[in-house]
Amino acid sequence: MTDLDTRMDENEKIDENHAESARRAGKLVRQVRRKRGLSLANLAEKSGLSTGLLSQLERGAGNPSFTTIIKISQALNVPASEFFSGLDEAGTVVRAASRPLLQLADNKLVYELMTPNMHGQIGVVKTELTPGFSNEDAQLSHVGEECTIVLAGRIYISVDGTGYELGAGDAITYNSSLNHWYRNESDEIASLLGAMTPPSF
């Protein structure tokens, strides 16, 4: 097999994973919305997203962005971690090749869950932020404490309005109920590992 064939196989796998993530996200949104007794119009109003986008997402026809997932999870009052695919409710070991994933449209942003699920006492998530990524317009806030470690690259993180520049090897621990967000201002991918207790992302 040539390098080109290998890259094509990898790209096809990525596309398949994104499609599966989109289907899972759409199914979850539809189920929770109906359980809450909300129409698409109601959810659109609560989330600030268009009914067209939500309808497309529920049909599994579109790959949501990080901002979209956060706005929907907040509007439906469900953790964003519910959108991970491949969760293992009874597992202990997470193999490198089969980590639960949350794949998003932001330059193929991928969150990898290092714990089998998010129902224990701790959740650990690995992600790579592409150059220019920012979630300032969909800030996070969830119960508990979080520690973010920069494995490679550099990031800017804001916690409760205070900004910090972090490089490879740096770590920050904070009350995750405070509004926090990340930005990669560099031209290199930044790799992060986040641990939270309880797991409430």
Side-chain angles (χ1 to χ4, degrees), residues 67-132:
T67 299
T68 297
I69 288 293
I70 296 304
K71 287 183 176 180
I72 291 174
S73 68
Q74 291 172 347
L76 293 176
N77 195 29
V78 297
S81 60
E82 291 295 321
F83 292 90
F84 277 97
S85 61
L87 294 174
D88 186 348
E89 298 302 324
T92 299
V93 176
V94 176
R95 302 294 181 187
S98 57
R99 293 172 184 159
L101 301 176
L102 173 58
Q103 298 190 262
L104 302 162
D106 310 74
N107 295 319
K108 297 193 174 180
L109 181 67
V110 178
Y111 282 79
E112 297 179 86
L113 190 58
M114 310 301 284
T115 46
N117 54 60
M118 295 288 268
H119 303 304
Q121 297 301 306
I122 188 170
V124 181
V125 177
K126 180 180 181 292
T127 189
E128 292 187 341
L129 302 184
T130 53

Side-chain angles (χ1 to χ4, degrees), residues 5-6 19 134 136 138 143 146 159 173 185:
D5 290 333
T6 300
S134 172
E136 184 176 4
V143 174
E146 185 166 354
V159 180
T173 301
E185 300 175 325

Side-chain angles (χ1 to χ4, degrees), residues 15-179:
D15 289 340
E16 288 174 5
N17 288 339
H18 276 275
E20 176 57 33
S21 291
R23 286 190 291 270
R24 175 181 169 79
K27 183 178 180 180
L28 178 63
V29 171
R30 184 171 59 253
Q31 287 176 340
V32 177
R33 175 178 64 78
R34 290 177 174 173
K35 186 176 181 180
R36 300 281 194 273
L38 298 173
S39 67
L40 275 174
N42 295 147
L43 181 56
E45 183 178 357
K46 288 172 67 70
S47 66
L49 301 168
S50 71
T51 54
L53 186 151
L54 292 170
S55 176
Q56 183 182 43
L57 176 60
E58 287 195 1
R59 297 194 310 272
N63 188 16
S65 68
F66 182 84
T67 299
T68 297
I69 288 293
I70 296 304
K71 287 183 176 180
I72 291 174
S73 68
Q74 291 172 347
L76 293 176
N77 195 29
V78 297
S81 60
E82 291 295 321
F83 292 90
F84 277 97
S85 61
L87 294 174
D88 186 348
E89 298 302 324
T92 299
V93 176
V94 176
R95 302 294 181 187
S98 57
R99 293 172 184 159
L101 301 176
L102 173 58
Q103 298 190 262
L104 302 162
D106 310 74
N107 295 319
K108 297 193 174 180
L109 181 67
V110 178
Y111 282 79
E112 297 179 86
L113 190 58
M114 310 301 284
T115 46
N117 54 60
M118 295 288 268
H119 303 304
Q121 297 301 306
I122 188 170
V124 181
V125 177
K126 180 180 181 292
T127 189
E128 292 187 341
L129 302 184
T130 53
F133 173 85
S134 172
N135 65 316
E136 184 176 4
D137 58 350
Q139 300 182 23
L140 300 169
S141 176
H142 45 92
V143 174
E145 188 173 31
E146 185 166 354
C147 178
T148 299
I149 305 159
V150 181
L151 302 177
R154 301 190 62 81
I155 65 162
Y156 173 90
I157 179 172
S158 173
V159 180
D160 198 28
T162 301
Y164 304 88
E165 296 274 357
L166 302 179
D170 293 339
I172 182 171
T173 301
Y174 49 91
N175 179 345
S176 54
S177 67
L178 301 174
N179 283 344

